[in-house]
Amino acid sequence: MSKTIVITGAGGVLCGTMALALAKEGHNIAVLDLRKEAADDMADFIKNEGGNAIGVAANVLEKETLEKAKVAINEAFGKCDILINGAGGNHPLGTTSNPFLVAEDLMNKDKDFKTFFDLDVNGIQFVFNLNFIGTLLPTQIFASDMVGREGCSILNISSMNAFTPLTKIPAYSGAKAAVSNFTQWLAVHFSKVGIRVNALAPGFFLTDQNRSLLTKADGSLTPRGQQIIEQTPMGRFGEPEDLIGTALWLCGDSSRFVTGVVIPIDGGFAAYSGV
Ligand code: NAD
């Protein structure tokens, strides 16, 4: 049966890929993104591929824009059956330059060099807001359509850094840990009104956000990129298409007794101790 699926951040790489896959299953897709042009481009792409989609501009941190988006989506496709909370990301102001603090770092006067003591609370708040509040607000707006109806569910996008924090990115790791925790909380809270809530925890996928951190201009790996591949038992980065199978399963009725899970899609990264 065709469902109405709202996907935040679907103007981006990972959620755009899931949007296309869900459209190919016959669902109506609302491609919601802060960047109106990216949302429209992705919706056009889906339509060119034979799917049904609209692009909708909204900021996951502004309730009014989400409410407006909901009106447009309800008019186009009816009530929302499934919400994928995909908008998210990191910020350089919540990131340290080195994985470990050494005493000499405190003497480094380079303005771009950041120790733990230089972390900017604005950067940290940006990351917590985008990932956590940006999951909570769309859920408040769109889950109101789902209460008491059959086949409704929410899929959050956490990260494998929620299980064990990655070096250098305390804000992003903490914010995604909050998303995983919230997934479980919501799954329990919504269990009596028929809304399942689960999450994907992607490992390392090469996207526009992290390409320059993981690869050099000539395409070869940076030291951090190399370290990640060595730490990934399957020996490669994820490809956006690797998310599709689990997303289809968690959004579909074959997972109807599954709620409150956070599924790593990481080539074994989270399972590997490195020895
Ligand atoms: P991306 O940057 O390609 O996509 C993110 C999209 O979110 C962008 O289109 C952006 O415009 C949109 N967005 C940003 N702020 C917004 C806001 N306030 N309101 C509405 N939309 C907003 O990133 P991606 O790599 O495709 O990441 C998608 C999700 O997957 C994110 O939650 C990210 O944290 C998560 N994730 C990514 C990786 C990875 O390796 N790329 C790994 C784990 C988790």
Side-chain angles (χ1 to χ4, degrees), residues 21-180:
L22 287 157
K24 284 184 173 168
E25 296 289 302
H27 301 301
N28 299 320
I29 310 296
V31 177
L32 187 153
D33 206 284
L34 188 61
R35 298 175 299 137
K36 169 77 172 139
E37 208 183 320
D40 286 342
D41 285 351
M42 183 53 70
D44 287 344
F45 184 70
I46 290 171
K47 284 188 274 187
N48 285 337
E49 295 286 311
N52 214 0
I54 53 166
V56 195
N59 184 342
V60 293
L61 300 177
E62 289 174 4
K63 227 170 174 173
E64 314 77 62
T65 67
L66 291 165
E67 272 158 359
K68 263 195 203 152
K70 180 169 179 288
V71 170
I73 294 164
N74 288 162
E75 266 175 20
F77 295 141
K79 288 191 172 189
C80 172
D81 298 293
I82 290 175
L83 169 66
I84 300 183
N85 281 310
N90 191 25
H91 194 285
L93 291 179
T95 303
T96 62
S97 298
N98 279 339
F100 307 102
L101 181 74
V102 292
E104 296 78 58
D105 286 350
L106 300 180
M107 310 297 166
N108 192 327
K109 297 292 175 229
D110 181 344
K111 67 174 176 30
D112 293 328
F113 185 84
K114 285 194 191 60
T115 71
F116 168 74
F117 301 103
D118 302 315
L119 290 178
D120 184 325
V121 76
N122 293 317
I124 292 168
Q125 265 165 0
F126 174 91
V127 176
F128 268 83
N129 282 341
L130 177 57
N131 292 281
F132 181 64
I133 305 295
T135 295
L136 186 138
L137 286 183
T139 301
Q140 284 185 318
I141 302 300
F142 292 105
S144 64
D145 267 1
M146 302 180 192
V147 174
R149 292 171 53 237
E150 300 241 317
C152 293
S153 71
I154 297 167
L155 185 61
N156 294 330
I157 309 299
S158 180
S159 166
M160 142 288 302
N161 68 31
F163 302 110
T164 306
L166 293 176
T167 58
K168 306 213 280 190
I169 51 170
Y172 186 54
S173 298
K176 287 300 193 186
V179 170
S180 289

